[in-house]
Amino acid sequence: MQVKQTKLTDFVGAPDTQLVVPVYQRVYSWTRPQLREFWDDLMEAGRTGRPHFMGMVFFSEGASHHEGVRQLDLIDGQQRMTTFTLMMCAVCSWLAKSGKTFDGMGPDQVADAFLRLALPDGDACKLVLSRADAPTLRWLEGIGEKPAADEDYSRLVVESYEWFRDRMDADGFDFDAFERGVGQLYIVEVLMEAKDRQQTVFESLNSKGLPLSTPDLVRNFLLMRPEFDDKSYLYDTYWSKVEDAFSTDPDDRYLAHAIRMWTGSGVAVKDDRGIFDAFKMSFAVKGRDALEKRTAGLADYCIAFHEKVEAGDEATLAACREWEESRGKAERLRNDRKIFGD
Protein backbone atom coordinates (compact mmCIF):
# COMPACT_ATOMS: atom_id res chain seq x y z
CA MET A 1 0.00 0.00 0.00
CA GLN A 2 1.44 3.37 -1.06
CA VAL A 3 0.14 6.55 0.61
CA LYS A 4 0.80 10.20 -0.15
CA GLN A 5 -0.92 13.57 0.13
CA THR A 6 -1.66 15.46 -3.07
CA LYS A 7 -3.78 18.25 -4.49
CA LEU A 8 -7.09 17.06 -5.91
CA THR A 9 -6.40 18.95 -9.14
CA ASP A 10 -3.09 17.11 -9.53
CA PHE A 11 -4.76 13.73 -8.94
CA VAL A 12 -7.65 14.21 -11.37
CA GLY A 13 -5.59 16.21 -13.85
CA ALA A 14 -2.63 13.83 -14.04
CA PRO A 15 -1.66 13.53 -17.74
CA ASP A 16 -2.63 10.34 -19.57
CA THR A 17 -4.40 9.00 -16.47
CA GLN A 18 -7.94 7.67 -16.42
CA LEU A 19 -10.04 7.04 -13.31
CA VAL A 20 -12.45 4.13 -13.64
CA VAL A 21 -15.36 3.20 -11.39
CA PRO A 22 -15.38 -0.64 -11.22
CA VAL A 23 -18.58 -2.58 -11.87
CA TYR A 24 -19.01 -3.46 -8.20
CA GLN A 25 -19.32 0.21 -7.20
CA ARG A 26 -22.70 1.87 -6.71
CA VAL A 27 -24.02 4.59 -9.00
CA TYR A 28 -23.57 8.28 -8.25
CA SER A 29 -25.75 9.14 -5.27
CA TRP A 30 -24.84 12.57 -3.88
CA THR A 31 -27.70 15.04 -3.49
CA ARG A 32 -28.04 18.65 -2.33
CA PRO A 33 -26.89 18.22 1.30
CA GLN A 34 -23.59 16.65 0.21
CA LEU A 35 -23.17 19.14 -2.65
CA ARG A 36 -23.79 22.10 -0.34
CA GLU A 37 -21.23 20.86 2.18
CA PHE A 38 -18.69 20.32 -0.61
CA TRP A 39 -19.31 23.82 -1.98
CA ASP A 40 -19.21 25.53 1.41
CA ASP A 41 -15.91 23.84 2.31
CA LEU A 42 -14.41 24.84 -1.04
CA MET A 43 -15.50 28.47 -0.78
CA GLU A 44 -14.29 28.70 2.83
CA ALA A 45 -10.89 27.40 1.74
CA GLY A 46 -10.81 30.04 -0.99
CA ARG A 47 -11.75 32.89 1.33
CA THR A 48 -9.34 31.91 4.13
CA GLY A 49 -6.48 30.49 2.07
CA ARG A 50 -6.41 27.40 4.30
CA PRO A 51 -6.11 23.95 2.72
CA HIS A 52 -9.16 21.69 2.93
CA PHE A 53 -8.59 17.96 3.39
CA MET A 54 -11.18 15.84 1.52
CA GLY A 55 -10.17 12.46 2.92
CA MET A 56 -8.56 9.38 1.46
CA VAL A 57 -9.06 8.03 -2.06
CA PHE A 58 -8.36 4.32 -2.45
CA PHE A 59 -7.48 2.95 -5.88
CA SER A 60 -5.57 0.20 -7.64
CA GLU A 61 -3.75 -0.06 -10.95
CA GLY A 62 -6.08 -1.38 -13.63
CA ALA A 63 -5.55 -2.86 -17.08
CA SER A 64 -5.94 0.07 -19.45
CA HIS A 65 -7.71 -0.33 -22.78
CA HIS A 66 -5.72 2.55 -24.27
CA GLU A 67 -2.03 2.45 -25.08
CA GLY A 68 -0.01 4.91 -23.02
CA VAL A 69 -2.86 5.56 -20.56
CA ARG A 70 -2.58 4.70 -16.88
CA GLN A 71 -5.87 3.33 -15.52
CA LEU A 72 -6.73 3.74 -11.83
CA ASP A 73 -9.68 1.72 -10.52
CA LEU A 74 -11.44 3.59 -7.72
CA ILE A 75 -12.07 1.44 -4.66
CA ASP A 76 -13.35 4.33 -2.55
CA GLY A 77 -13.74 7.99 -3.52
CA GLN A 78 -15.93 7.86 -6.61
CA GLN A 79 -18.62 10.15 -5.13
CA ARG A 80 -16.04 12.89 -4.48
CA MET A 81 -14.29 12.41 -7.83
CA THR A 82 -17.61 12.47 -9.70
CA THR A 83 -18.76 15.59 -7.85
CA PHE A 84 -15.50 17.38 -8.66
CA THR A 85 -15.82 16.35 -12.31
CA LEU A 86 -19.41 17.62 -12.55
CA MET A 87 -18.34 20.87 -10.94
CA MET A 88 -15.61 21.29 -13.56
CA CYS A 89 -18.22 20.64 -16.27
CA ALA A 90 -20.14 23.57 -14.81
CA VAL A 91 -16.93 25.64 -14.72
CA CYS A 92 -16.45 25.07 -18.46
CA SER A 93 -19.99 26.26 -19.13
CA TRP A 94 -19.53 29.36 -16.95
CA LEU A 95 -16.19 30.27 -18.51
CA ALA A 96 -17.67 30.05 -21.99
CA LYS A 97 -20.40 32.54 -21.01
CA SER A 98 -18.28 34.90 -18.91
CA GLY A 99 -15.15 35.03 -21.02
CA LYS A 100 -13.00 34.51 -17.93
CA THR A 101 -10.22 31.96 -17.43
CA PHE A 102 -9.62 29.42 -14.68
CA ASP A 103 -5.99 29.30 -13.55
CA GLY A 104 -5.12 30.84 -16.91
CA MET A 105 -7.14 28.25 -18.86
CA GLY A 106 -10.16 28.74 -21.08
CA PRO A 107 -13.09 26.27 -21.16
CA ASP A 108 -11.50 23.94 -23.72
CA GLN A 109 -8.22 23.84 -21.83
CA VAL A 110 -10.03 23.10 -18.55
CA ALA A 111 -11.89 20.26 -20.27
CA ASP A 112 -8.62 18.89 -21.64
CA ALA A 113 -7.01 19.07 -18.19
CA PHE A 114 -9.79 17.58 -16.03
CA LEU A 115 -12.51 16.04 -18.20
CA ARG A 116 -11.18 14.51 -21.39
CA LEU A 117 -8.39 12.29 -22.70
CA ALA A 118 -7.30 12.81 -26.29
CA LEU A 119 -6.92 9.40 -27.96
CA PRO A 120 -6.10 8.45 -31.56
CA ASP A 121 -9.70 7.31 -32.16
CA GLY A 122 -11.37 10.26 -30.39
CA ASP A 123 -11.82 11.72 -26.94
CA ALA A 124 -12.47 9.61 -23.84
CA CYS A 125 -13.57 10.59 -20.34
CA LYS A 126 -10.90 11.17 -17.70
CA LEU A 127 -13.40 9.68 -15.25
CA VAL A 128 -15.33 6.62 -16.42
CA LEU A 129 -18.47 6.09 -14.36
CA SER A 130 -20.61 3.01 -13.88
CA ARG A 131 -22.63 1.83 -16.85
CA ALA A 132 -25.77 3.50 -15.54
CA ASP A 133 -24.08 6.92 -15.23
CA ALA A 134 -21.45 6.87 -17.99
CA PRO A 135 -23.64 7.95 -20.97
CA THR A 136 -24.93 11.00 -19.10
CA LEU A 137 -21.46 12.16 -18.07
CA ARG A 138 -20.18 11.72 -21.62
CA TRP A 139 -23.00 13.96 -22.83
CA LEU A 140 -22.30 16.66 -20.22
CA GLU A 141 -18.62 16.62 -21.18
CA GLY A 142 -19.49 17.08 -24.85
CA ILE A 143 -18.15 13.69 -25.89
CA GLY A 144 -21.41 11.82 -26.53
CA GLU A 145 -25.05 12.45 -27.39
CA LYS A 146 -27.76 13.02 -24.82
CA PRO A 147 -29.07 9.60 -23.69
CA ALA A 148 -32.31 8.90 -25.50
CA ALA A 149 -33.60 6.13 -23.25
CA ASP A 150 -34.72 6.89 -19.70
CA GLU A 151 -32.70 3.99 -18.34
CA ASP A 152 -29.51 5.55 -19.76
CA TYR A 153 -30.20 9.00 -18.26
CA SER A 154 -28.77 9.59 -14.80
CA ARG A 155 -30.97 12.11 -13.03
CA LEU A 156 -28.62 12.73 -10.08
CA VAL A 157 -25.64 13.31 -12.36
CA VAL A 158 -27.56 16.01 -14.25
CA GLU A 159 -29.05 17.55 -11.09
CA SER A 160 -25.61 17.87 -9.50
CA TYR A 161 -24.19 19.52 -12.62
CA GLU A 162 -27.12 21.94 -12.71
CA TRP A 163 -26.75 22.67 -8.99
CA PHE A 164 -23.15 23.81 -9.49
CA ARG A 165 -24.08 25.77 -12.59
CA ASP A 166 -26.82 27.61 -10.62
CA ARG A 167 -24.31 28.51 -7.88
CA MET A 168 -22.02 30.05 -10.48
CA ASP A 169 -24.82 31.92 -12.24
CA ALA A 170 -26.12 33.39 -8.96
CA ASP A 171 -25.63 37.05 -8.10
CA GLY A 172 -22.60 37.59 -5.92
CA PHE A 173 -20.68 34.51 -7.06
CA ASP A 174 -17.09 35.10 -5.91
CA PHE A 175 -15.16 33.49 -8.73
CA ASP A 176 -11.78 34.53 -7.32
CA ALA A 177 -12.50 32.75 -4.01
CA PHE A 178 -13.81 29.74 -5.93
CA GLU A 179 -10.66 29.54 -8.06
CA ARG A 180 -8.43 29.74 -4.98
CA GLY A 181 -10.58 27.19 -3.15
CA VAL A 182 -10.24 24.57 -5.88
CA GLY A 183 -6.49 24.88 -5.54
CA GLN A 184 -6.74 24.30 -1.78
CA LEU A 185 -8.47 20.90 -2.01
CA TYR A 186 -6.26 18.03 -0.88
CA ILE A 187 -6.68 14.26 -0.69
CA VAL A 188 -4.56 11.37 0.49
CA GLU A 189 -3.89 8.93 -2.35
CA VAL A 190 -3.88 5.29 -1.25
CA LEU A 191 -2.60 2.96 -3.95
CA MET A 192 -3.67 -0.61 -3.22
CA GLU A 193 -1.18 -3.20 -4.43
CA ALA A 194 -1.77 -6.80 -5.46
CA LYS A 195 -0.89 -8.10 -1.99
CA ASP A 196 -3.52 -5.87 -0.33
CA ARG A 197 -6.97 -7.36 0.26
CA GLN A 198 -9.31 -4.88 -1.40
CA GLN A 199 -12.48 -6.52 -0.09
CA THR A 200 -11.23 -6.26 3.51
CA VAL A 201 -10.39 -2.59 3.00
CA PHE A 202 -13.82 -1.94 1.48
CA GLU A 203 -15.58 -3.52 4.46
CA SER A 204 -13.31 -1.68 6.91
CA LEU A 205 -14.26 1.65 5.33
CA ASN A 206 -17.89 0.86 6.08
CA SER A 207 -17.13 -0.03 9.71
CA LYS A 208 -15.44 3.36 10.16
CA GLY A 209 -18.69 5.15 9.43
CA LEU A 210 -18.50 5.93 5.71
CA PRO A 211 -21.95 5.75 4.09
CA LEU A 212 -21.79 2.34 2.43
CA SER A 213 -25.08 0.47 2.40
CA THR A 214 -25.69 -3.24 2.82
CA PRO A 215 -26.17 -3.66 -0.96
CA ASP A 216 -22.85 -1.84 -1.53
CA LEU A 217 -21.05 -4.40 0.64
CA VAL A 218 -22.89 -7.35 -0.89
CA ARG A 219 -22.10 -6.14 -4.42
CA ASN A 220 -18.44 -5.82 -3.53
CA PHE A 221 -18.38 -9.24 -1.87
CA LEU A 222 -19.87 -10.94 -4.93
CA LEU A 223 -17.90 -9.20 -7.64
CA MET A 224 -14.47 -9.40 -6.03
CA ARG A 225 -14.56 -13.12 -5.37
CA PRO A 226 -11.29 -14.75 -6.51
CA GLU A 227 -13.22 -17.60 -8.18
CA PHE A 228 -14.14 -15.24 -11.03
CA ASP A 229 -11.51 -13.51 -13.12
CA ASP A 230 -14.19 -11.82 -15.22
CA LYS A 231 -15.97 -9.59 -12.71
CA SER A 232 -18.28 -8.24 -15.42
CA TYR A 233 -19.78 -11.69 -15.94
CA LEU A 234 -21.41 -11.83 -12.51
CA TYR A 235 -22.51 -8.22 -12.78
CA ASP A 236 -24.02 -8.54 -16.27
CA THR A 237 -25.67 -11.89 -15.65
CA TYR A 238 -27.07 -11.41 -12.15
CA TRP A 239 -26.42 -8.27 -10.11
CA SER A 240 -27.24 -5.70 -12.81
CA LYS A 241 -30.77 -7.16 -13.01
CA VAL A 242 -31.18 -6.71 -9.26
CA GLU A 243 -30.02 -3.09 -9.47
CA ASP A 244 -32.37 -2.44 -12.38
CA ALA A 245 -35.31 -3.85 -10.40
CA PHE A 246 -34.52 -1.67 -7.38
CA SER A 247 -33.48 1.43 -9.35
CA THR A 248 -36.14 3.58 -7.66
CA ASP A 249 -35.56 2.13 -4.18
CA PRO A 250 -34.78 5.06 -1.84
CA ASP A 251 -31.51 4.57 0.04
CA ASP A 252 -31.44 0.86 -0.92
CA ARG A 253 -34.04 0.35 1.81
CA TYR A 254 -36.01 -2.54 0.35
CA LEU A 255 -33.01 -4.19 -1.27
CA ALA A 256 -31.40 -4.40 2.18
CA HIS A 257 -34.61 -6.01 3.46
CA ALA A 258 -34.56 -8.51 0.59
CA ILE A 259 -30.97 -9.50 1.42
CA ARG A 260 -31.86 -9.82 5.10
CA MET A 261 -34.86 -12.05 4.38
CA TRP A 262 -32.85 -14.16 1.93
CA THR A 263 -30.28 -14.95 4.59
CA GLY A 264 -33.08 -16.34 6.77
CA SER A 265 -32.05 -14.09 9.64
CA GLY A 266 -35.58 -12.70 10.00
CA VAL A 267 -35.82 -10.01 12.68
CA ALA A 268 -32.87 -11.35 14.68
CA VAL A 269 -30.37 -8.98 13.04
CA LYS A 270 -30.57 -5.54 14.66
CA ASP A 271 -28.43 -3.36 12.38
CA ASP A 272 -27.17 -3.06 8.82
CA ARG A 273 -23.77 -4.51 9.63
CA GLY A 274 -25.50 -7.54 11.10
CA ILE A 275 -27.30 -8.09 7.79
CA PHE A 276 -24.01 -8.22 5.94
CA ASP A 277 -22.41 -10.51 8.50
CA ALA A 278 -25.41 -12.88 8.24
CA PHE A 279 -25.14 -12.69 4.45
CA LYS A 280 -21.48 -13.74 4.50
CA MET A 281 -22.29 -16.69 6.75
CA SER A 282 -25.08 -17.84 4.44
CA PHE A 283 -22.74 -17.47 1.45
CA ALA A 284 -20.09 -19.83 2.75
CA VAL A 285 -19.79 -21.85 -0.45
CA LYS A 286 -16.71 -23.04 -2.29
CA GLY A 287 -16.03 -23.34 -5.98
CA ARG A 288 -17.07 -21.33 -9.03
CA ASP A 289 -20.20 -23.35 -9.82
CA ALA A 290 -21.52 -23.22 -6.25
CA LEU A 291 -20.83 -19.50 -6.03
CA GLU A 292 -22.64 -18.77 -9.29
CA LYS A 293 -25.63 -20.91 -8.24
CA ARG A 294 -25.84 -19.07 -4.93
CA THR A 295 -25.60 -15.70 -6.69
CA ALA A 296 -28.36 -16.67 -9.11
CA GLY A 297 -30.57 -17.69 -6.20
CA LEU A 298 -29.94 -14.39 -4.45
CA ALA A 299 -30.78 -12.41 -7.58
CA ASP A 300 -34.01 -14.35 -8.20
CA TYR A 301 -35.10 -13.87 -4.59
CA CYS A 302 -34.39 -10.13 -4.59
CA ILE A 303 -36.28 -9.56 -7.85
CA ALA A 304 -39.25 -11.55 -6.57
CA PHE A 305 -39.13 -9.56 -3.32
CA HIS A 306 -39.24 -6.32 -5.31
CA GLU A 307 -42.30 -7.54 -7.19
CA LYS A 308 -44.07 -8.16 -3.88
CA VAL A 309 -43.19 -4.69 -2.63
CA GLU A 310 -44.42 -3.13 -5.87
CA ALA A 311 -47.66 -5.12 -5.61
CA GLY A 312 -48.17 -3.86 -2.05
CA ASP A 313 -47.99 -7.31 -0.48
CA GLU A 314 -48.93 -6.60 3.14
CA ALA A 315 -47.01 -9.52 4.68
CA THR A 316 -43.78 -8.37 3.00
CA LEU A 317 -44.26 -4.72 3.92
CA ALA A 318 -45.21 -5.65 7.51
CA ALA A 319 -42.00 -7.69 7.86
CA CYS A 320 -40.01 -4.63 6.74
CA ARG A 321 -41.79 -2.30 9.16
CA GLU A 322 -41.37 -4.72 12.07
CA TRP A 323 -37.63 -4.95 11.54
CA GLU A 324 -37.20 -1.20 11.17
CA GLU A 325 -39.13 -0.56 14.36
CA SER A 326 -37.05 -3.07 16.31
CA ARG A 327 -33.86 -1.62 14.86
CA GLY A 328 -34.90 1.88 15.89
CA LYS A 329 -35.53 0.76 19.45
CA ALA A 330 -32.19 -1.04 19.57
CA GLU A 331 -30.32 2.03 18.34
CA ARG A 332 -32.02 4.31 20.87
CA LEU A 333 -31.21 1.92 23.70
CA ARG A 334 -27.60 1.72 22.58
CA ASN A 335 -27.28 5.49 22.36
CA ASP A 336 -28.81 5.96 25.82
CA ARG A 337 -26.22 3.66 27.37
CA LYS A 338 -23.36 5.86 26.10
CA ILE A 339 -20.83 3.03 26.19
CA PHE A 340 -17.26 4.29 25.76
CA GLY A 341 -15.93 3.46 22.34
CA ASP A 342 -19.31 2.36 20.96
Side-chain angles (χ1 to χ4, degrees), residues 148-168:
D150 289 343
E151 60 268 21
D152 292 331
Y153 182 85
S154 176
R155 178 179 57 84
L156 288 182
V157 167
V158 174
E159 288 182 356
S160 294
Y161 162 74
E162 292 177 343
W163 191 91
F164 283 119
R165 193 179 60 186
D166 290 344
R167 301 286 80 70
M168 297 173 192

Side-chain angles (χ1 to χ4, degrees), residues 209-242:
L210 295 179
L212 302 174
S213 68
T214 297
D216 290 331
L217 291 168
V218 168
R219 182 194 307 115
N220 173 266
F221 178 89
L222 293 175
L223 299 184
M224 294 184 71
R225 298 290 291 182
E227 293 89 341
F228 284 85
D229 295 328
D230 182 5
K231 304 299 188 295
S232 296
Y233 171 76
L234 280 178
Y235 181 85
D236 292 338
T237 309
Y238 303 107
W239 196 253
S240 64
K241 296 179 176 60
V242 175

Side-chain angles (χ1 to χ4, degrees), residues 18-22 66 74 78 124-130 134 137:
Q18 188 174 54
L19 306 177
V20 176
V21 176
H66 310 293
L74 291 172
Q78 69 132 323
C125 295
K126 286 274 290 182
L127 173 66
V128 180
L129 298 184
S130 65
L137 181 60

Side-chain angles (χ1 to χ4, degrees), residues 129-317:
L129 298 184
S130 65
R131 298 178 190 185
D133 292 333
T136 301
L137 181 60
R138 287 177 57 83
W139 165 57
L140 291 178
E141 292 181 341
I143 298 175
E145 299 294 328
K146 181 178 180 179
D150 289 343
E151 60 268 21
D152 292 331
Y153 182 85
S154 176
R155 178 179 57 84
L156 288 182
V157 167
V158 174
E159 288 182 356
S160 294
Y161 162 74
E162 292 177 343
W163 191 91
F164 283 119
R165 193 179 60 186
D166 290 344
R167 301 286 80 70
M168 297 173 192
D169 288 339
D171 292 338
F173 170 52
D174 189 344
F175 176 72
D176 291 337
F178 171 84
E179 186 178 32
R180 289 192 299 269
V182 173
Q184 294 288 351
L185 299 179
Y186 284 82
I187 63 170
V188 169
E189 298 181 26
V190 183
L191 172 60
M192 305 292 295
E193 299 171 315
K195 63 183 178 181
D196 299 319
R197 297 188 61 188
Q198 294 183 21
Q199 179 187 326
T200 301
V201 170
F202 193 87
E203 294 177 22
S204 176
L205 290 170
N206 187 64
S207 70
K208 300 300 185 295
L210 295 179
L212 302 174
S213 68
T214 297
D216 290 331
L217 291 168
V218 168
R219 182 194 307 115
N220 173 266
F221 178 89
L222 293 175
L223 299 184
M224 294 184 71
R225 298 290 291 182
E227 293 89 341
F228 284 85
D229 295 328
D230 182 5
K231 304 299 188 295
S232 296
Y233 171 76
L234 280 178
Y235 181 85
D236 292 338
T237 309
Y238 303 107
W239 196 253
S240 64
K241 296 179 176 60
V242 175
E243 291 186 341
D244 289 343
F246 286 85
S247 60
T248 58
D249 180 24
D251 303 321
D252 290 331
R253 173 188 175 193
Y254 285 109
L255 181 50
H257 280 299
I259 295 167
R260 175 179 62 86
M261 299 296 285
W262 179 81
T263 65
S265 59
V267 297
V269 175
K270 298 301 182 183
D271 55 33
D272 291 335
R273 182 68 196 195
I275 296 177
F276 181 60
D277 290 340
F279 164 82
K280 287 200 296 184
M281 291 180 63
S282 68
F283 226 87
V285 296
K286 295 182 179 180
R288 180 187 174 100
D289 292 343
L291 178 62
E292 181 170 359
K293 183 177 179 179
R294 197 73 170 147
T295 305
L298 170 64
D300 289 344
Y301 182 92
C302 289
I303 292 171
F305 187 94
H306 176 265
E307 292 173 353
K308 291 180 181 179
V309 170
E310 288 289 291
D313 181 72
E314 184 54 35
T316 301
L317 296 175

